[in-house]
Amino acid sequence: MTTVVNGFTMAYTDEGRGLPLVFVHGFPLARGAWERQVEAFRSTHRVIAPDLRGLGESEAPGAAPVAMDRYAADVRALLARLGAGPAVLIGHSMGGYVVLAFARLFPELLRGLVLVATKAGPDTPEGAAGRRATADQVRAMGSQVVVDAMAPKMLAAGNPDAPLAARVRAIMEPSKPEGVSAALLGLADRPDSNPLLAGIRVPTLVVSGTSDALIPHAESEKLAGAIPGAILRLIPNAGHLVALEQADEFNAALHSVSITTPPDA
């Protein structure tokens, strides 16, 4: 499905009925990264999963940097268009930065928070410079340079599942060069979300794979320690894309806590 929000055409999934679960993908991914969660939760919840602007099947309205606040505002606009919310927001990696921005900007629409393989802090100066250099490469050579660099790092090292590795690449490949470079520049300039954490007052689950090579699970431990009442789940034999690689364990983690239970249940 597609709709126009904030001046661009956004592709999204919207299935099921009940408490809305809004799944926000990471970089340079798309909503297909959540396909196993859509399948698992659509019989009991309303499952919404957008492609962020310029990524997946969503339109890239330009190559200017896209701030995490802008992505969050796009998600807010989609929920308004769909008449959904308050909702539980689930964000993976860059999607975690987006849902933290959403929590700061639109706290009245937040019923729960799931932070997956993500962190609160900004890039180091060296990391930001690397993202800007990669954005230049993408503009010159296309998105494939990012797909080739990042796809092998999404799963746990040594995972022999070749079809899953191919699926990861397939989820990444539709993203537009303008969208990928704009996301890189937005990531490089994103603010520090650590000051927000102590004020979060909704049920929060923090999830990480123990074999994550991109954002070590120590960052998840810091998040869980800084958010009042947060629950931490570390999933063995999972890399950065934990929700796809170890879907059964990830889904069980969501089921095991009250965060996905409607208030009147």
Side-chain angles (χ1 to χ4, degrees):
M1 290 179 279
T2 62
T3 189
V4 176
V5 296
N6 292 342
F8 76 100
T9 300
M10 172 180 275
Y12 66 97
T13 295
D14 180 11
E15 298 188 20
R17 299 177 62 184
L19 174 66
L21 306 182
V22 181
F23 291 89
V24 184
H25 65 79
F27 173 86
L29 295 155
R31 69 189 192 277
W34 300 111
E35 58 196 20
R36 297 184 180 180
Q37 285 65 56
V38 173
E39 181 180 358
F41 286 93
R42 64 189 175 192
S43 63
T44 54
H45 296 76
R46 185 176 186 182
V47 180
I48 299 169
D51 282 348
L52 298 176
R53 61 169 63 204
L55 302 175
E57 297 176 326
S58 285
E59 182 184 7
V66 180
M68 301 303 108
D69 284 10
R70 169 57 64 188
Y71 289 126
D74 292 342
V75 174
R76 166 69 180 89
L78 176 64
L79 296 184
R81 179 63 57 88
L82 299 179
V88 176
L89 265 71
I90 301 105
H92 169 253
S93 195
M94 184 182 82
Y97 311 149
V98 174
V99 302
L100 284 173
F102 189 101
R104 174 171 50 81
L105 294 169
F106 313 112
E108 72 281 1
L109 295 176
L110 193 64
R111 183 164 282 168
L113 191 60
V114 183
L115 299 168
V116 186
T118 192
K119 61 183 180 180
D123 277 355
T124 64
E126 297 78 12
R131 290 197 201 270
R132 296 185 185 106
T134 302
D136 289 340
Q137 288 184 309
V138 170
R139 285 192 291 267
M141 302 167 59
S143 301
Q144 200 64 37
V145 295
V146 169
V147 175
D148 290 343
M150 294 197 67
K153 301 175 183 178
M154 287 287 165
L155 304 179
N159 186 324
D161 191 337
L164 182 60
R167 178 61 186 141
V168 171
R169 294 185 69 91
I171 292 169
M172 293 181 172
E173 285 172 345
S175 294
K176 292 80 178 164
E178 298 91 339
V180 171
S181 62
L184 283 162
L185 295 174
L187 285 165
D189 291 336
R190 75 183 187 278
D192 186 358
S193 290
N194 277 296
L196 168 73
L197 302 182
I200 292 175
R201 292 292 182 267
V202 296
T204 301
L205 173 67
V206 181
V207 183
S208 180
T210 59
S211 299
D212 191 336
L214 291 175
I215 300 181
H217 62 79
E219 293 288 351
S220 292
E221 293 168 356
K222 291 178 187 176
L223 275 176
I227 298 172
I231 296 171
L232 175 66
R233 293 284 188 269
L234 301 179
I235 297 181
N237 304 314
H240 191 58
L241 200 47
V242 54
L244 188 66
E245 186 173 16
Q246 297 293 347
D248 290 345
E249 288 78 3
F250 181 87
N251 295 344
L254 265 63
H255 276 300
S256 71
V257 295
S258 61
I259 196 165
T260 54
T261 303
D264 56 354

